[in-house]
């Protein structure tokens, strides 16, 4: 075909494209323990006997961290916030408080709390307010008191503890650490972005204007996709190479024109600029664009090169050439690691030529393979297999495009086969690019095609379809709409 076709990414803020969200599971928030057992709480001796088994607060750790009342204050902090834990933190070993004091008075003081400890267990009162713990023990008692009410109900106390509870008393450890974890887990949950794609409809950018970026290439930089293509607003003559950006493949923002018409030369009036594609050269920190450069009669048949330090910036045009003396019409770029490849249709030799680029990507270094004549080439690599797609030459009309596979860009390339249902003319479109959409679950390879309208090129439509790839077999159906989960990297009808 004496022109190049250019497929495009449906900005999915386009036309009828819709986006829905589904919340991914948030964390369970962890468990704050079972809240421990209420303890017997009633076995209290005058010598400061143990107040039940309340020394455990489930996941909150053992109240023993509070030490014994006799240590003079550990008992107070020992009263971990038993309320949340469902356990009487006053539980510390009150009995030990009674025996700790060195004097009879100390013993009496310790013993008295033991007695009231029995009452505390039953009523959730001010249990640990006593003991040799002195003032500290008293503080612990106050804390324990708030837990006492909970502990009094036993089961209810456990439920509170399970919910994560609050901080376990002044004692330090958080019985409800799991609770905080739950909140964090919820915030950490992700939201999948799912795009509904309706091929062949009019797609608009975020300003409501029709997207003009035909015969495009696409490149992802960080989390942002950049779509560069031909502006056909006023027909086939070169006007601009436009650039759009999106972080979700749904909402496309017009960033600017990467190349614009000049007064003369390759980019002058009545010139043809088709199929702009961009790859990044890390060694030179430059984005390198290749394109088909031609006269209105398609007699020049050259490859053009432009560079820029930013993907969607204003590119510097560096000129055009015939790669190793060959014609160069419909083309594409492919990057394999740091190695760049340029593929273009050679009309004179009726072949599709595959070239390896020089290290700076500005020129062709060598011809690595020659395959049968196809135009509008596109390449994908999955594992160790390369997939090369191309169109027969039927002008602006569509046909059943085909593909071949190899384990090296140098070939040998296998038998060419159709991948869309026979007779659908590749869902009535022409190949322009294959974009991988990689998510946390999988990678979907999306076929980008153009449905050319030769009577009104500006109204040519973008056809996106998901590819199903198994081994060396590629297939594509032609659904009127389908869903792409950009976050997960999966698709569904």
């Amino acid at each position: 075909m004496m022109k190049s076709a250019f497929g495009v990414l449906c900005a999915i803020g386009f036309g009828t494209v819709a986006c829905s969200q589904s919340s991914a599971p948030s964390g369970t928030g962890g468990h704050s323990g079972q809240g421990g057992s209420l303890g017997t709480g009633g076995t209290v001796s005058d010598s400061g006997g143990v107040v039940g088994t309340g020394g455990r607060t489930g996941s909150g750790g053992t109240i023993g961290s509070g030490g014994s009342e006799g240590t003079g204050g550990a008992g107070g902090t020992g009263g971990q916030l038993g309320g949340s834990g469902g356990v009487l933190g006053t539980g510390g070993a009150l009995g030990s408080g009674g025996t700790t004091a060195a004097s009879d008075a100390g013993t009496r003081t310790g013993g008295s709390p033991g007695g009231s400890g029995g009452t505390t267990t039953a009523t959730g009162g001010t249990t640990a307010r006593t003991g040799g713990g002195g003032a500290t023990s008293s503080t612990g008692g106050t804390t324990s008191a708030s837990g006492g009410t909970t502990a009094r109900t036993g089961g209810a106390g456990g439920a509170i503890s399970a919910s994560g509870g609050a901080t376990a008393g002044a004692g330090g450890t958080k019985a409800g650490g799991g609770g905080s974890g739950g909140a964090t887990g919820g915030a950490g949950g992700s939201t999948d972005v799912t795009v509904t794609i309706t091929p062949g409809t009019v797609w608009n950018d975020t300003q409501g204007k029709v997207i003009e970026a035909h015969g495009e290439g696409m490149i992802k930089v960080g989390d942002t996709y950049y779509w560069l293509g031909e502006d056909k607003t006023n027909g086939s003559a070169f006007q601009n190479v436009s650039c759009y950006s999106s972080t979700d493949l749904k909402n496309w923002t017009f960033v600017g024109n990467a190349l614009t018409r000049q007064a003369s030369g390759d980019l002058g009036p009545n010139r043809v600029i088709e199929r702009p594609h961009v790859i990044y050269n890390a060694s030179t920190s430059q984005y390198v664009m290749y394109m088909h450069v031609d006269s209105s009669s398609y007699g020049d048949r050259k490859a053009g090169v432009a560079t820029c330090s930013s993907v969607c910036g204003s590119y510097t045009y560096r000129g055009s050439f015939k790669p190793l003396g060959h014609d160069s019409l419909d083309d594409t770029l492919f990057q394999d690691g740091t190695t760049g490849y340029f593929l273009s249709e050679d009309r004179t030799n009726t072949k599709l030529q595959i070239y390896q680029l020089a290290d700076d990507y500005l020129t062709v270094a060598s011809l690595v393979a020659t395959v049968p004549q196809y135009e509008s080439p596109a390449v994908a690599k999955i594992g160790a297999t390369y997939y090369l797609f191309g169109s027969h030459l039927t002008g602006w009309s569509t046909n059943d495009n085909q593909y071949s596979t190899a384990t090296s860009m140098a070939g040998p390339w296998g038998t060419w086969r159709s991948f869309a249902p026979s007779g659908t003319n590749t869902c009535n479109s022409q190949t322009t690019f294959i974009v991988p959409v990689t998510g946390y679950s999988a990678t979907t390879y999306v076929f980008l095609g153009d449905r050319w309208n030769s009577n009104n090129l500006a109204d040519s439509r973008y056809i996106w379809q998901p590819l199903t790839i198994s081994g060396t077999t590629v297939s594509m159906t032609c659904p009127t709409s389908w869903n792409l989960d950009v976050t997960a990297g999966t698709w569904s009808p």
Side-chain angles (χ1 to χ4, degrees):
M1 86 177 26
M2 296 292 283
K3 52 76 202 139
S4 62
F6 337 114
V8 188
L9 244 169
C10 299
I12 314 189
F14 9 91
T16 60
V17 178
C19 176
S20 62
Q21 297 184 336
S22 58
S23 298
S26 60
T28 61
H31 298 284
S32 301
Q34 301 175 350
S37 61
L38 181 59
T40 60
T43 306
V44 181
S45 68
D46 289 339
S47 61
V50 178
V51 181
T53 57
R56 299 184 63 83
T57 59
S59 66
T62 302
I63 298 298
S65 62
S68 62
E69 292 285 347
T71 60
T77 55
Q80 308 279 16
L81 205 156
S84 297
V87 180
L88 274 173
T90 61
L94 281 176
S96 62
T99 59
T100 298
S103 66
D104 291 340
T107 301
R108 287 192 299 274
T109 303
S112 177
S116 63
T119 301
T120 297
T121 303
T123 65
T126 57
T127 301
R129 295 186 59 200
T130 59
T136 302
S137 174
S138 175
T139 300
T142 300
T143 302
S144 176
S146 63
T149 301
T150 301
R152 184 165 57 122
T153 62
I160 292 175
S161 175
S163 67
T167 303
T173 62
K174 286 189 177 182
S180 296
T184 301
S190 62
T191 300
D192 282 12
V193 175
T194 299
V195 172
T196 297
I197 299 175
T198 306
T201 57
V202 176
W203 294 346
N204 296 326
D205 64 16
T206 54
Q207 299 301 313
K209 297 180 179 180
V210 176
I211 295 173
E212 283 292 328
H214 307 277
E216 90 292 348
M218 187 167 291
I219 181 172
K220 187 178 183 183
V221 181
D223 293 328
T224 302
Y225 292 89
Y226 293 91
W227 170 4
L228 295 97
E230 307 165 32
D231 178 358
K232 294 291 189 184
T233 301
N234 296 317
S236 62
F238 171 62
Q239 297 157 73
N240 304 292
V241 171
S242 51
C243 185
Y244 297 81
S245 69
S246 174
T247 57
D248 60 7
L249 291 176
K250 170 186 179 293
N251 300 293
W252 289 95
T253 299
F254 175 69
V255 178
N257 292 317
L259 285 177
T260 59
R261 179 184 294 172
Q262 299 179 0
S264 61
D266 284 349
L267 305 183
N270 300 314
R271 297 290 294 176
V272 171
I273 299 295
E274 297 177 333
R275 298 188 180 277
H277 295 82
V278 172
I279 55 177
Y280 180 68
N281 190 298
S283 65
T284 63
S285 299
Q286 293 288 301
Y287 290 91
V288 181
M289 179 192 298
Y290 272 69
M291 69 209 82
H292 169 210
V293 176
D294 224 321
S295 62
S296 58
S297 64
Y298 286 84
D300 289 354
R301 304 174 180 181
K302 293 182 178 181
V305 182
T307 59
C308 188
S309 59
S310 61
V311 64
C312 240
S314 179
Y315 280 68
T316 298
Y317 184 69
R318 292 177 172 270
S320 61
F321 63 97
K322 288 197 171 189
L324 302 181
H326 297 146
D327 288 350
S328 184
L329 287 92
D330 280 9
D331 60 49
T332 195
L333 284 175
F334 175 68
Q335 192 171 32
D336 189 14
T338 59
T339 302
Y341 293 93
F342 176 66
L343 295 78
S344 66
E345 187 242 324
D346 181 350
R347 187 65 53 87
T348 298
N349 293 307
T350 63
K351 300 293 183 183
L352 175 62
Q353 309 286 12
I354 303 176
Y355 306 94
Q356 182 173 324
L357 297 175
D359 290 344
D360 60 7
Y361 297 171
L362 300 181
T363 59
V364 165
S366 63
L367 176 66
V368 299
T370 297
V371 300
Q373 186 179 25
Y374 286 88
E375 64 178 4
S376 67
V379 181
K381 182 183 181 182
I382 304 176
T385 303
Y386 297 85
Y387 301 80
L388 173 57
F389 299 79
S391 166
H392 298 294
L393 280 67
T394 54
W396 296 109
S397 300
T398 58
N399 57 72
D400 285 343
N401 292 189
Q402 296 188 312
Y403 78 100
S404 178
T405 62
T407 56
S408 167
M409 286 295 287
W413 290 89
T415 301
W416 289 78
R417 297 173 285 174
S418 297
F419 55 95
S422 179
T424 65
N425 293 334
T426 322
C427 305
N428 193 19
S429 71
Q430 184 182 41
T431 301
T432 185
F433 200 73
I434 307 297
V435 60
V437 179
T438 300
Y440 62 79
S441 177
T443 296
T444 292
Y445 291 85
V446 181
F447 166 91
L448 309 185
D450 285 302
R451 180 176 294 166
W452 298 106
N453 181 350
S454 60
N455 295 319
N456 182 5
L457 289 175
D459 190 39
S460 300
R461 304 297 176 86
Y462 309 115
I463 307 301
W464 284 10
Q465 297 288 3
L467 295 174
T468 298
I469 302 176
S470 178
T472 58
T473 300
V474 180
S475 62
M476 180 176 82
T477 58
C478 302
T480 55
S481 68
W482 57 283
N483 301 311
L484 174 64
D485 187 327
V486 179
T487 312
T490 57
W491 72 276
S492 60

